[in-house]
Amino acid sequence: MLNQYYGDYVTVAIFIAVGALLVGGAVGASKLLAPRRPGDFKDVAYESGIEPVGGGWNQSHIRYYVFALLFLIFDVEAVFIFPWALQLDTFQAVGRGVFILVEMFIFVVILLVGLIYAIRKGVLKWE
Amino acid sequence: MNFWLELILKLVAILGFVLTGALVVIYAELKAGSHMQSRIGPYYAGGRWGWAQPLADGLKFLQKEDLAPAAADRTVYGLAPYVVMMSTIAVFVVIPFGPDMVGRDLDLGIYFVLAVSSLSVLGILMAGWSSANKYSLMGGLRAAAQLIAYELPLVLVSAAVVIQAGTMSLNGIVASQAQTWFTVGGVDVSAPFLIKGQIIGFTIFMIASVAELSRIPFDMPIAESELTMGYLTEYSGIRFTMFFLGEYAAMISLSAIAATLYLGGYAVPGVSGNILNVIGPGVMLAKISLLVFIFIWIRWTWPRLREDQLQHLAWRWLIPISLANIAVISIFKVAF
């Protein structure tokens, strides 16, 4: 008999597997029904009807990496906020509510200063 | 009940709901969108009001050749729709339609939803990169930058709900909204979090959801007039259908999450116990339909933002506001 703990994992794993099966089944059915006649011009990358200039993997502007860095910082912050949010009740029950609140504010404000720095630095301005 | 039997029943029910739901939403979008633009929309398929249009489209896509560019990275190109669909379906595990009408009431609840739904970014980036097409690459990069930028407000406003509810389990969040808020003349009044101080959270959640779904006004990753079809440019036939279906299924799941977090989920005031398993799904369905309609409404009536305006909105406004929202909610929680 599966207990509560493993049941969670099994359920999630099976749902994910069914998601994959759904796509697999549809692709398989399409393989049976759809025609398959590869030709030179069908396999050319689409570029509004003209022959593609250069390869598909062009160099692109690096501006996006700043967002990735900012995201990483704030996502980790969010990960810390969730356990804190759950324990707020516990701390409040022993009379340390204000203490834990101030702790988190210090943490958030430090990161907020970082965001303000990034904005002032102009990473969100595109010319 | 036997664990496996229960699992299979729930699986069939949820899968049926997701697939029919996605088809219904596609039809609703075709029809509502055309009426908002003074057109009549699909009319012939199925004989009456064109009700069979999404089915006909699906059947047609099934028979189309599944093309891939010669230069594409075929393995990654083929796997991308799998990743998107797997993350989309996995979200439905925790969505509660009643006290027991839930795939599995994970303790992680909302945290699981946020983690799993952000996996679809990976699928989109895979699709954009592997297509070996300039439009796809740009669309994929735009999509990744947009989805991570709007992931943050989504996560932060959800954290505010967790603070108020004191639990991450979605069933627990519904239960804490069904609790008595105050009593007037012997009548217990309960209210959803939307009324109990989360109106800003709900607004940000909806804005971020529209962006997460890459729908107008946040559809720069697709942006037909600039990028043809963004990361989907090279996809055809059934693989395209899978992306399309996944998008609409994600619309349903985000609406369901918003309904659970802010609108009280399946809870009905004054009703508790087993009867809630019967009327709960109906209540939930009504709330989901309402939110889906709002998504459709926004899509057909708003112009598109520019890429830097979108990043500006997320980083400059939504993230600071949702942090302030957390601060206010937690101060209220500690003070009262």
Side-chain angles (χ1 to χ4, degrees), chain B residues 242-256:
Chain B
M242 288 296 123
F243 276 110
F244 195 67
L245 214 58
E247 201 176 291
Y248 281 89
M251 199 163 139
I252 295 172
S253 72
L254 273 171
S255 304

Side-chain angles (χ1 to χ4, degrees), chain A residues 2 4 8 15-16 30 34-35 37 42-43 45-48 53 57-58 64 67 71 89 92 112 119, chain B residues 3 62-65 69-70 86 93 104 129 133-135 142 145 148 155 234 315-316 323 333-334:
Chain A
L2 285 150
Q4 174 72 29
D8 286 355
F15 268 76
I16 291 177
S30 170
R37 292 186 204 87
K42 273 192 225 170
D43 301 344
Y46 178 77
E47 206 165 302
S48 308
V53 182
W57 288 295
N58 278 4
Y64 287 115
F67 296 123
F71 169 72
D89 281 330
Q92 214 185 338
L112 212 54
I119 291 173
Chain B
F3 173 81
L62 203 61
Q63 301 168 51
K64 293 289 173 190
E65 190 171 353
M86 277 150 75
V93 173
R104 190 85 182 176
W129 178 257
N133 180 311
K134 290 172 195 120
Y135 296 133
R142 278 187 182 188
I148 63 175
V155 170
E234 289 296 345
W315 294 103
R316 256 220 157 124
L323 283 172
K333 171 98 175 180
V334 170

Side-chain angles (χ1 to χ4, degrees), chain B residues 250-294:
Chain B
M251 199 163 139
I252 295 172
S253 72
L254 273 171
S255 304
I257 299 293
T260 310
L261 292 186
Y262 297 103
L263 305 184
Y266 55 76
V268 181
V271 180
S272 64
N274 237 340
I275 188 84
L276 213 51
N277 280 324
V278 183
I279 54 173
V283 172
M284 197 62 179
L285 216 55
K287 289 175 180 171
I288 292 174
S289 314
L290 178 69
L291 292 177
V292 164
F293 178 74
I294 292 176

Side-chain angles (χ1 to χ4, degrees), chain A residues 1-12 14-31 33-39 42-48 52-61 64 66-72 74-86 88-89 92 97-98 100-101 104-105 108 112 115 119-120 124-126, chain B residues 1-4 7 10-11 14-15 19 61-74 81-82 85-86 89-90 92-93 103-107 110-112 114 128-135 137-138 141-142 145 148-149 151-152 155-156 158-159 162-163 165-168 228 233-234 238-239 242 307-308 311-312 315-316 319-320 323 326-328 330-331 333-336:
Chain A
M1 208 52 210
L2 285 150
N3 61 25
Q4 174 72 29
Y5 185 74
Y6 290 111
D8 286 355
Y9 285 94
V10 170
T11 309
V12 171
I14 286 181
F15 268 76
I16 291 177
V18 165
L21 272 179
L22 198 68
V23 183
V27 170
S30 170
K31 276 235 160 63
L33 287 172
R36 176 118 196 91
R37 292 186 204 87
K42 273 192 225 170
D43 301 344
V44 175
Y46 178 77
E47 206 165 302
S48 308
V53 182
W57 288 295
N58 278 4
Q59 291 186 331
S60 27
H61 201 297
Y64 287 115
V66 181
F67 296 123
L69 286 180
L70 279 175
F71 169 72
L72 204 61
F74 277 91
D75 214 30
V76 171
E77 176 193 355
V79 170
F80 284 126
I81 285 180
F82 275 96
W84 170 81
L86 287 181
L88 204 55
D89 281 330
Q92 214 185 338
V98 176
I100 190 176
L101 201 63
M104 183 46 91
F105 279 5
V108 169
L112 212 54
L115 179 64
I119 291 173
R120 298 286 295 169
L124 299 181
K125 278 222 176 67
W126 290 11
Chain B
M1 205 193 298
N2 183 303
F3 173 81
W4 293 105
L7 180 59
K10 283 175 173 173
L11 194 61
I14 290 178
L15 216 58
L19 293 178
F61 278 133
L62 203 61
Q63 301 168 51
K64 293 289 173 190
E65 190 171 353
D66 185 15
L67 288 169
D73 184 340
R74 275 185 169 273
Y82 286 87
M85 203 50 144
M86 277 150 75
I89 297 283
F92 283 93
V93 173
R104 190 85 182 176
D105 184 28
L106 304 183
D107 291 338
I110 181 65
Y111 198 74
F112 170 83
L114 296 166
W129 178 257
S130 63
S131 296
N133 180 311
K134 290 172 195 120
Y135 296 133
L137 183 58
M138 275 184 242
L141 286 176
R142 278 187 182 188
I148 63 175
E151 181 84 27
L152 287 173
V155 170
L156 292 173
S158 309
V162 173
I163 291 169
T167 173
M168 294 200 284
T228 313
T233 301
E234 289 296 345
I238 196 69
R239 284 183 213 275
M242 288 296 123
E307 182 69 14
D308 61 328
Q311 295 290 349
H312 193 273
W315 294 103
R316 256 220 157 124
I319 292 172
L323 283 172
I326 286 185
V328 171
S330 55
I331 288 172
K333 171 98 175 180
V334 170
F336 303 104

Side-chain angles (χ1 to χ4, degrees), chain B residues 185-264:
Chain B
V187 180
D188 293 338
V189 179
S190 64
F193 282 148
L194 177 67
I195 294 168
K196 288 196 273 193
Q198 293 276 13
I199 181 122
I200 294 171
F202 177 69
T203 314
I204 293 180
F205 191 97
M206 289 302 281
I207 295 173
S209 299
V210 177
E212 286 290 303
L213 296 165
S214 303
R215 291 167 66 80
I216 292 172
F218 302 108
D219 76 328
M220 278 66 67
I222 307 278
E224 302 94 332
S225 52
E226 308 164 29
L227 293 179
T228 313
M229 199 60 190
Y231 53 88
L232 295 174
T233 301
E234 289 296 345
Y235 281 90
S236 59
I238 196 69
R239 284 183 213 275
F240 172 80
T241 318
M242 288 296 123
F243 276 110
F244 195 67
L245 214 58
E247 201 176 291
Y248 281 89
M251 199 163 139
I252 295 172
S253 72
L254 273 171
S255 304
I257 299 293
T260 310
L261 292 186
Y262 297 103
L263 305 184

